Amino acid sequence: MSQSHEPRTAQAGPWVIDTREIGHRAGSSRAYTRKAPAPAGFGLDMIKVPEGEPVDLDLLAESVVEGVLVSGTASARLTGECVRCLDPLSEETEIELRELFAYPDSATDTSTDDDEVERVVDDLIDLEPVVRDAMLLSLPAAPLCSPDCQGLCSGCGVKWAELAPEHTHETIDPRWAALQERFGGTEEEK
């Protein structure tokens, strides 16, 4: 009487790779091309990949002695605001990935700290944290609509690019305002 053993079902999802598809023999590999929805928090305050926006993954997972080496690219559409003029931004970004996911009980357990290398857990690799971290590091902390953006006039809030070159605002230091009220305008105004 033989018993049939059902294979363990892997967690489904576009961010997860089941290493059993690759095999544990060093040198075996498998290419993955997929779209994964960006989770919340996939960016910075001023620029990000909107939640649910597809992240295109083009990866090669290679079995090596210590684990699985994942390399390739991830690309997505970014949205945000220019830090100088607050105009909306939309651009494409592409990042390079190269990350080792170590097998449990491999030599990396003794040679590295727990947070130095990613781990294969239950034969699964979760790509989302690695892609998110690489994407965050590639984003500009202060995105601009153009390198020469002049920003907004602090007096009226209009874009400097739309104002005349002689545009100014008369501002009086509040400490001198009482003197101006008492004695009138400046010498140039008289």
Side-chain angles (χ1 to χ4, degrees):
M1 184 168 160
S2 67
Q3 292 180 332
S4 67
H5 294 284
E6 299 242 356
R8 194 169 47 164
T9 57
Q11 292 178 358
W15 289 108
V16 177
I17 291 177
D18 187 344
T19 61
R20 292 174 293 180
E21 298 171 347
I22 304 162
H24 289 261
R25 188 172 49 96
S28 57
S29 65
R30 182 163 180 205
Y32 293 88
T33 302
R34 53 175 73 166
K35 292 182 183 292
F42 218 74
L44 305 172
D45 289 338
M46 297 300 285
I47 192 163
K48 64 184 171 198
V49 179
E51 185 175 355
E53 183 74 22
V55 178
D56 295 318
L57 303 171
D58 188 13
L59 306 170
L60 178 65
E62 301 171 86
S63 184
V64 294
V65 174
E66 294 300 319
V68 177
L69 179 65
V70 177
S71 57
T73 61
S75 57
R77 185 180 61 85
L78 301 171
T79 60
E81 294 178 333
C82 175
V83 295
R84 293 185 185 160
C85 69
L86 302 178
D87 276 356
L89 297 173
S90 181
E91 60 187 59
E92 295 290 322
T93 187
E94 182 174 283
I95 57 164
E96 296 279 330
L97 296 170
R98 188 168 189 86
E99 190 74 33
L100 173 66
F101 291 83
Y103 291 132
D105 302 321
S106 67
T108 57
D109 287 347
T110 58
S111 63
T112 61
D113 291 334
D114 286 340
D115 60 349
E116 281 185 90
V117 67
E118 297 292 328
R119 306 286 175 183
V120 175
V121 179
D122 294 330
D123 290 324
L124 302 175
I125 293 173
D126 186 5
L127 298 169
E128 187 266 325
V130 172
V131 173
R132 183 192 64 238
D133 291 350
M135 189 84 60
L136 289 174
L137 289 173
S138 74
L139 296 177
L144 298 173
C145 60
S146 68
D148 59 344
C149 178
Q150 297 174 348
L152 303 174
C153 172
S154 61
C156 62
V158 176
K159 289 175 64 173
W160 278 109
E162 298 171 358
L163 295 171
E166 62 277 351
H167 177 79
T168 61
H169 292 277
E170 181 77 27
T171 56
I172 299 171
D173 189 326
R175 297 171 290 186
W176 298 105
L179 288 174
Q180 184 176 10
E181 287 176 16
R182 178 168 177 131
F183 296 112
T186 63
E187 288 295 320
E188 295 168 352
E189 294 173 344
K190 291 182 182 180

